[in-house]
């Protein structure tokens, strides 16, 4: 039987665990059996910390956790809390120089006796740590852990991303072409654009993505206890423009890479960018926008992601 060592606030009286030592007047070190629903969250920064801070209080009454036999949240992130994180992530000065996952575990572990938050101060490098997962959230801006999660079968997963005031959500039900095109090679990046923290021009796309993630998980939990509710699917949403049509909206299964472009590839103009944003605001379908610009759906998709800040420019995008 698997077990975890974790911190429990002493205000909870739990008879089904073995106390192995006192650490402080406020917390007790205990060994707890691993059971119930296992939720893994990869990334405890701008998206992950906001998701936890929104979702965990909603489970305080224990109604959902009790029916599921308990819920364990496993947080995976090797980063330490820095002062610059305090302006847009759910940490305080007392958390500085602590592992992010430990700071969140201390704040939210056993918000109810059947809700646990377990920190793993490592970055995800293989699927092994996810072997027991029922639900996985990946909230880091690195392609490697995203692809690890995308490769898993028969597991519910959600890939949360952000850029400026926008967020992007991929799921285990997302079209494979969409997943492939939205997960290119790139260097890790912050959820805040360059200079935003120094200037105070904070962008809240990470909070938006965390909100979407918290809502998705709670809807999934409600379904698991028999209260049927709609779980939002893949979405790209901007607080300024609303829904952005970046997903395939056709049953055509031919990968974009095999579809010929509408015309020879050439650089986008400022006029086309303005038109593209206006069309996105109007909610036009991807195919209709592609037809108007005489470009492939893939080119439209990439350009929307670039100019809305969801994905930074890559060398491979030159000429789109």
């Amino acid at each position: 039987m698997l077990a975890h060592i974790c911190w429990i606030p002493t205000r909870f009286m739990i008879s089904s665990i073995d106390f192995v030592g006192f650490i402080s007047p406020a917390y007790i070190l205990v060994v707890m059996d691993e059971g119930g629903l296992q939720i893994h969250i990869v990334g405890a920064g701008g998206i992950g910390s906001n998701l936890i801070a929104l979702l965990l209080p909603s489970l305080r009454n224990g109604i959902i956790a009790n029916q599921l036999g308990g819920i364990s949240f496993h947080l995976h992130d090797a980063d330490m809390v820095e002062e610059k994180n305090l302006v847009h992530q759910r940490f305080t000065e007392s958390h500085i120089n602590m592992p992010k996952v430990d700071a969140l575990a201390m704040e939210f572990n056993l918000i109810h006796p059947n809700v646990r938050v377990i920190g793993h101060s490592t970055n995800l490098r293989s699927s092994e740590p996810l072997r027991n997962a029922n639900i996985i959230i990946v909230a880091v801006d690195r392609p490697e852990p995203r692809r690890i999660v995308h490769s898993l079968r028969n597991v519910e997963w959600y890939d949360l991303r952000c850029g400026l005031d926008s967020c992007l959500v991929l799921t285990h039900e997302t079209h494979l072409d969409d997943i492939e095109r939205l997960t290119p090679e790139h260097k890790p990046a912050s959820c805040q654009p360059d200079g935003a923290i120094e200037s105070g021009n904070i962008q809240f796309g990470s909070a938006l993505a965390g909100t979407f993630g918290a809502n998705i998980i709670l809807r999934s939990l409600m379904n698991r206890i028999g209260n049927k509710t709609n779980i939002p699917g893949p979405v790209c949403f901007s607080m300024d423009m609303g829904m952005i049509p970046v997903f395939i909206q056709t049953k055509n299964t031919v990968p974009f890479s095999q579809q010929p472009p509408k015309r020879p590839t050439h650089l986008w103009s400022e006029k086309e960018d303005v038109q593209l944003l206006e069309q996105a605001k109007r909610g036009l379908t991807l195919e209709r926008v592609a037809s108007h610009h005489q470009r492939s759906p893939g080119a439209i998709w990439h350009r929307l992601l670039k100019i809305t800040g969801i994905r930074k420019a890559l060398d491979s995008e030159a000429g789109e």
Side-chain angles (χ1 to χ4, degrees):
M1 180 177 293
L2 298 175
H4 283 288
I5 295 175
C6 60
W7 302 94
I8 293 183
T10 56
R11 65 180 181 273
F12 291 113
M13 300 299 294
I14 303 175
S15 59
S16 61
I17 56 180
D18 297 322
F19 293 93
V20 297
F22 289 89
I23 302 302
S24 73
Y27 289 88
I28 299 172
L29 183 64
V30 302
V31 176
M32 300 183 68
D33 292 334
E34 184 178 273
L37 194 74
Q38 307 297 315
I39 300 177
H40 288 250
I41 299 177
V42 183
I47 297 175
S49 66
N50 277 290
L51 187 159
I52 286 291
L54 290 168
L55 178 62
L56 268 293
S58 71
L59 302 175
R60 180 182 290 276
N61 61 18
I63 294 174
I64 297 175
N66 290 342
Q67 293 187 59
L68 292 171
I71 305 174
S72 295
F73 290 87
H74 299 263
L75 310 183
H76 303 265
D77 197 320
D79 287 354
M80 310 290 283
V81 178
E82 302 177 60
E83 185 174 359
K84 66 180 182 180
N85 300 143
L86 306 187
V87 299
H88 65 289
Q89 300 179 20
R90 295 301 184 98
F91 302 106
T92 66
E93 289 186 2
S94 65
H95 297 141
I96 292 176
N97 295 325
M98 287 182 62
K100 289 183 177 180
V101 295
D102 290 350
L104 291 171
M106 286 184 64
E107 292 296 320
F108 295 103
N109 185 42
L110 285 175
I111 199 166
H112 180 273
N114 277 336
V115 178
R116 295 175 288 177
V117 180
I118 302 162
H120 305 274
S121 301
T122 56
N123 290 325
L124 188 69
R125 293 289 184 260
S126 74
S127 62
E128 177 61 21
L130 308 176
R131 65 188 182 281
N132 68 336
N134 301 112
I135 301 174
I136 303 170
I137 296 286
V138 57
V140 292
D141 192 25
R142 289 190 296 113
E144 181 184 6
R146 288 172 176 167
R147 288 174 179 150
I148 290 172
V149 173
H150 298 167
S151 70
L152 300 177
R153 298 293 178 264
N154 301 317
V155 64
E156 184 179 343
W157 62 258
Y158 303 93
D159 182 346
L160 309 180
R161 310 181 189 183
C162 67
L164 302 180
D165 76 336
S166 305
C167 77
L168 175 69
V169 180
L170 305 183
T171 82
H172 53 284
E173 296 180 340
T174 303
H175 195 291
L176 292 178
D177 286 346
D178 291 353
I179 294 173
E180 181 180 354
R181 280 194 163 268
L182 280 166
T183 315
E185 287 294 337
H186 66 86
K187 295 180 180 180
S190 169
C191 61
Q192 294 297 323
D194 294 340
I197 294 177
E198 293 77 7
S199 67
N201 185 25
I202 301 302
Q203 303 295 315
F204 293 99
S206 57
L208 182 65
T211 302
F212 268 85
N215 180 57
I216 286 170
I217 293 181
L218 189 59
R219 302 282 78 77
S220 176
L221 297 181
M222 294 299 292
N223 277 341
R224 288 170 183 265
I225 64 172
N227 294 334
K228 295 302 181 182
T229 182
N230 180 55
I231 301 177
V235 64
C236 186
F237 184 83
S238 163
M239 286 182 270
D240 176 45
M241 297 185 296
M243 302 293 288
I244 301 175
V246 299
F247 294 101
I248 296 175
Q249 299 186 36
T250 175
K251 294 184 178 180
N252 179 9
T253 58
V254 178
F256 281 150
S257 60
Q258 298 177 18
Q259 296 179 11
K262 297 293 184 180
R263 62 179 178 180
T265 302
H266 61 86
L267 293 174
W268 286 82
S269 67
E270 291 186 9
K271 180 179 178 180
E272 283 185 298
D273 283 348
V274 171
Q275 289 179 334
L276 191 57
L277 290 174
E278 290 177 348
Q279 290 163 339
K281 288 182 179 180
R282 291 166 56 194
L284 300 183
T285 65
L286 190 61
E287 286 76 15
R288 184 174 176 183
V289 176
S291 176
H292 173 82
H293 290 274
Q294 294 187 337
R295 295 178 183 267
S296 70
I300 298 297
W301 186 0
H302 277 301
R303 193 63 183 177
L304 276 170
L305 295 175
K306 181 177 178 180
I307 62 180
T308 57
I310 289 291
R311 199 184 75 196
K312 294 184 177 180
L314 302 173
D315 291 339
S316 61
E317 292 181 326
E320 283 194 352

